[in-house]
Amino acid sequence: MLKTALRNVLAHKARLLMTVLAVTLGVAFVSGTLVFADSSTAAHRAAVSKDYADIAVTVTPKDPPPGAAGSAGSAGSAGSPESAGDEPASVLDDGLARKLAGLPGVAAVRPSADGLATLNASDGTPLRTGRVWAHRAAAYVPGADGTDSRHPLTAGRAPRDGEEIAVDSGTAAAGRLRIGEQITLATDGPAMTKRLVGIVTTRDTRVTAGGTLVLFDRATAQRLFASPGRYTSIDLSAVPGTDTAELARRVTALLPADRAEATTGTAQAAQQAVLVDTLTRGNEKLSLVFAGVALFIGSFLIVNTFTMLVARRTREIALLRAIGATRRQVVRSLLWEAALLGLAASVLGFLLGLAIACVLPEILSTTGEPLPRGPLVIGPLPVAAALCVGVGVTVLAAWLPSRKAARIAPVEALRTAEQPPTATASRVRGAAGTLLLALGAGLLLSLAGAKDASEENLRSAMSGCALLVIAMIVLAPLLAVPVIRLSGQLTGRLGTAGHLAHRNALRDPRRIAATASALMVSTALVAGLSVIGHSTGQALDRQAAAGLSADYVISTHTSSAGIDPAAVQRVTATPGVRTATAVTDSTLFIGGGVRQISGVDPAAAPSVMELDFVSGSLKDLGPGRIALSSTLARANGLRTGDRIDARIGGPGQDRTPYTVVGVYEDNPTARDALGARAEVQRQSLDPGSVQRVLVRADGGADAGATKDRLRTATGNNPLLQVQDRRELVQEAAGSLSTLLTLTYGLLAIGGVIAALGIMNTLAMSVSDRTREIGVLRAIGMDRAGIRRMIRLESLTVAAFGTLLGLAAGLFGAWTVGALTNGALKGYSLALPWDTLLLVCLVSLATGAVAAALPARHASGLSPLEAVAEL
């Protein structure tokens, strides 16, 4: 039987090639993603190991002042000299550095003053704002030879005073910065202008993974991120052969127990590797989704291929049974055949996966978020996954057809055609499909009134969608007949070729349904995701500028940085500005929950906010008085005139009794609650802070010129952004980029695998109908007519799968959309007609492309040779 399996594989190698390709795609995505994950992790760890190769122990403050960044191995937030001066001075100074240098085993001591700094590019726009956590700033610390070993210079020189800086080569390239140019930057306050005097290289993985690096002279870095004469960390290198753990214990004994701590370089490297790896690992999930979809859709192709092979080899299998082969031997023969195909697909898929792993860093990297580079790391997991996935999926997909083959009786050898399913089998299929459809649709409909995107409801929605798709697959053979008959009204008008294509499609509804299932699944996924994504995008668009009558919003890129009050005054005095209102955003602890409160000027707020008060008014805001959104008021059972204890700001503040002076309709611009700005600022952790400025421009002012003047009024601070209403909408829509990438990726994968399936089916169909095609050629049908018949048959299959997929996808999107409405106010179903039209066109194009080779083969058959076929 093993020899029989080998012979069958070789005998049908051309027809089974498409099956191998389908499995290969899934294996390639799985193995390639795993190799990419291992390789990127190794690259991260290698880069981090280089960062800490010369660090044995690092000393950092236990309670650093706000803005002190800690050591090179820990994240922090940049501070300003004003804020740093309000905190207890760091114990890390030159005196401690000298003491540490005298410890046995210490080879060298390197103090550092590190923090965060954001730069403007040469065109004045903030540079790499998406990676604020990696906007590194540090001191250039020269050694005995006058150079900093951590930051080797590649051009220019090191900064010598507070008016000069150096940057890394990646930052210079991304921002098109040149030596001698004046650079605008900010740490955690007003913008500063410094002259670029040097370009360095760095091994800091936070920078190489998409961040920036600014180097100051030592005194300036101390003033910005610690305090004069103090440091944020002290790094120690060890004499060769020194035990770093023992050295860390000696350092700890020298430190004030409550003021500083010592960490080994090995521990820091491990922590940093985990941090960077966690922040970049999300890129790998998209490929795994593609792999899962490719394997799922490809399984239909495998099942269909083996089903057709079993049907074509009915007489052969019956003869094997007649000469003594048992059912178990027949099953084993077909499963061996599947295993051999799966093994070949696994090998090809793994090789293709290595190519995918090589190009993934280029695809996933952008100018702002490059991924680390390194050699491919091929571990045992990707190899095992390739074999298990490729062989396992193929064998499982071939199991049902093999069981069917085992039930073939020897008498089947006397039959020349495959027998249609019995009426009982059709009734059982119809009952099972209807039950699954009722369960899936019922589960989805039950969620229509939930309006709650809880984890339990999301799992129920996924289960309902899965049941719905399975039901459509089960019912597809029964639905194929009426749908294809309906489509025959159109194809029948295209002449004899159209009529024959219609009749051929009706010959075997099960084969047509199995072929169309791959296209149906991919179409359902794409249609459902695109509808949800489009509807969500429109809701976000409406929400981005909802409740906003201002023309511009000035806000910060980071939650820690506030807007300089002097900048607010300059914005107010900018030509073309009618009204500019500062808003202080803070945290409101109310009724056991945490909400957001906006501090506004009651007199000016109505000119920049669209507030619809259900009761009360804005003018009554003041000390001890707040207004609540309708949702917050309803959640706490409050009405205008009620009193409640609440706390504004951080945990250190006391609860204060507040009177509710108004309730307004939910408004994203106003947040959950409104208070007088002076009251909110007084209760906040950072009194006087401003997080937003809402600007109303004069009606006749030029929009572009006004925006430029506003940027100038903010000092071109890279921590601030000036956005008009259109940009607010675009920013909100930008969060759907991953979903759009997923949608079009699934469409591409589904189209490729569906094309392989249709091509496979048509190729076998042409082979089965060799004599019939010969007769058609003999009675006068030309080659063009044969090709047209095959193409129309392929388009019929594609249209059937597309129709079922659209129906399932739109129904799923309609029901699941109720959950989105619970999490996103203002959500309503909106059909993306352009995307749905694209899906239909791609699906029909898939059918046309898949028919090319079978149609060419069929039209090339010689009439005499075709009629002579047995």
Side-chain angles (χ1 to χ4, degrees), residues 238 319 614 821:
L319 287 173
V614 177
N821 192 26

Side-chain angles (χ1 to χ4, degrees), residues 447-493:
L447 298 173
K451 298 186 181 297
D452 178 14
S454 64
E455 184 176 351
E456 181 180 355
N457 285 338
L458 288 175
R459 283 198 298 266
S460 298
M462 294 177 64
S463 301
C465 291
L467 287 173
L468 185 65
V469 170
I470 294 173
M472 298 296 284
I473 293 172
V474 174
L475 292 174
L478 303 180
L479 297 174
V481 174
V483 172
I484 293 176
R485 282 178 178 169
L486 183 63
S487 67
Q489 301 296 324
L490 177 62
T491 57
R493 298 178 182 178

Side-chain angles (χ1 to χ4, degrees), residues 286 290 363-364 736-748:
L286 200 60
F290 291 158
I363 296 174
L364 298 176
L736 297 175
S737 59
T738 301
L739 180 60
L740 293 177
T741 300
L742 176 65
T743 299
Y744 292 118
L746 294 177
L747 178 59

